[in-house]
Amino acid sequence: MSMRTGRREDTRFLTGTGRYVGDIRLPGEAYAAVLRSPVANARLGGFDFGAALELPGVLGIFTADDIGADLGHMPCQVKLPGVSHFDAPRPALARGQVRFVGDSVALVVAESSEIARDACELIEVDYHELTPVVGIDAALAPGAPEIWPGCEGNKCFDWSVGDKDAANAAFDDAAHVTHLTLGQNRIVMNSIETRLAVGEWDEASETYTLTATTQGPDLIRRLLAEPVLGVAPDKLRVLTPDVGGGFGLKHYLYNEYALVLWAARRLGRPVSWTSTRLDAFQTDTHGRIQVADAALALDENGRFLALRVSTVADLGAYLSTMAPLVPTVAMMVALANLYTTPVIHFRSRGVFTNTTPVDAYRGAGRPEAVYIVERLIDAAAMETGIDPIELRRRNLIPEAAMPYTTPSGHVYDSGRFAENMQRVLDVAGHAKFEERRRASEARGLLRGFGIANYVENTGGATQESAEIRVGGDGRVRLAVGTQSTGQGHETTFPQVLAGYLGLAEDSIDFVQGDSDDLPFGGGTGGSRSLAMAGSAIRMAGDETVARATEIATHLFECSADDIQYEKGILRISGTDREIGLFELARRAEAGDGVPTGIAGPLMGHAHYECEAPTYPNGCHACEVEIDPDTGVVKVVAYCAIDDFGRIINSQVVSGQVHGGVAQGIGQAILEEAIYDKSGQLLTASYMDYPLPRASDIPALVNDFNEVPCTTNALGVKGAGESGAIAAPPAVMNAIVNALRPLRIRHLDMPATPAKVWAAIRAARAGGSGQAAG
């Protein structure tokens, strides 16, 4: 079914005719701005709104006292299995204390966004500053101030899984043990479109409407309705038009969504809020940020005996929607990676700090886990003298072992892992790498080659909905509960339905982004969309055909067993009596020859619940050149072989790989959100926070190894996060490989010129081993 059908949504995106939240203007609309805390930890004293209220156009200024009990706290929806966590309650506006720079202090509503922001500048607040806790070491330090009363040691949770005694015994018996301490840099997610929200209140129906940049309107409705607004879900409608990038950050519930709805009801007019880029840096959820103490035990032949990982994750000041899941359950899945490691013990602790909350960023725990494993393997290869490719080959799970159960109990249903690795080596021209290395050396440059195997489990929310409505006008309406943020759903989902029902793709109208359209939607995240929504579409297609067959039995006066459906036609087997699907729909709508109890719209609805996730996997290879005089790293080649099961649209999937790799390269060599000791974000603009440019990304060579998944009807596996998972270890392995002649064993991300230059200078001065992060 693999095709390179052009993306139907691209025309309007490229011609500027997309419809985003920022394009929506409502009669009587007012505009909100949020006053942000300039300090990381402080008691709130008095407010002086005098000058701000005198500003023409200001409609109101509100604090937590004005909201009172009208709004509940923003909920964290994750409960960790087997252990409780400290639930830091996040109010819509700070109550008595602010806990990070950017925390919401007051809401200003005015006749324009400019007036509202100007009014924020005129508000005076007494901040009684407290000692901030910034960074993991500070949070865990003896006697550290408690960010939350009763949260001892700032520890949100302490979670572990695996057989600790068996792991310790394997390490005791090991012929070799490799140990690394690995830091993961804090990432700002940086979607091209910032977050926006418009709130409306209808007094007559007592119903709220939120239009917002989300990754799934129904998920936001469920999180916001009863827990925060105190209303039934059918009293809140959430709309999401086109969205300019998500990467995880738009999957979560933010306080501004509640604030615009509250203000709309309070003022009796629509209220909109638009995040500035500074708002985005300071208040969008950040990603990654953890430190892991990791060790790999090997026997005398280089076979893996056990893996032991203890990580501490920085959660920021509050618990975001899914925050506890990322460094625990989501990360645990990928620690086995593609290897036959018999014993794994994993401990994860989460700590609060006076910084921006952290949640899932493209890959959500799997990039962190794969990075740890793949860096450990390269370090073990360096220490044992075994070639890093050979060391991987000795330990890869063989195809004959499928289905394979990992130590954590996850079952890989399919995959040809050794084939992935060999294909990427062939495509990358690894056999001639030493020639390229010598050519680089002749130009005074260091050249390195690195690979990374990866696996992830996909699925996210385990349920998804789809609804099909066939019209007598020759159009099919397809609605799903996911939400595209640039992935190409508008192309891929009609392609799935058209192929299944034998209809023309251009006859299908794709609908998303309205929580009233479907009773349930799991949203987009965790590379779940095609496996989940595609399966729901197939089921809804079956129901549509079944209903069409039932209607046809009345028109033809025959048994359902006599009717065949093929490519939009229903016919009586062995005869020339037939009717087209659209004509049948027209007659059903009109009640023409169809009994009253059967007449009506020709529709099919499905609620799909998956029984098992998919496990996309692959191998990526990277080559870098390093200028030892400046420390500048250039990624000169990148190849990817990915197993996403059956490919529905190769163009769409390749685009996902390219985007993920670009973000992974950004994490590896460029990006890091840095706070000073006072809790100020020093990298709060693009002047200080670099994103990868075209010149940082080589021409990516990618191909697929299509091994059909056995756990869903389409045979597909998730594809959205692979690049962000595989690229960081592949790039860092290449960098350390280039630095190997200097006996540099490890560098933490990002491998900035200053960090690489310092490591080279230290090594040449006589140092060696693990370089400082």
Side-chain angles (χ1 to χ4, degrees), residues 131 133 138-146 153-154:
T131 302
V133 177
L140 294 177
E146 287 186 357
N154 296 307

Side-chain angles (χ1 to χ4, degrees), residues 618-637:
C619 186
H620 289 206
C622 175
E623 282 189 39
V624 301
E625 281 188 331
I626 299 174
D627 185 340
D629 295 327
T630 63
V632 171
V633 175
K634 184 171 182 61
V635 179
V636 295

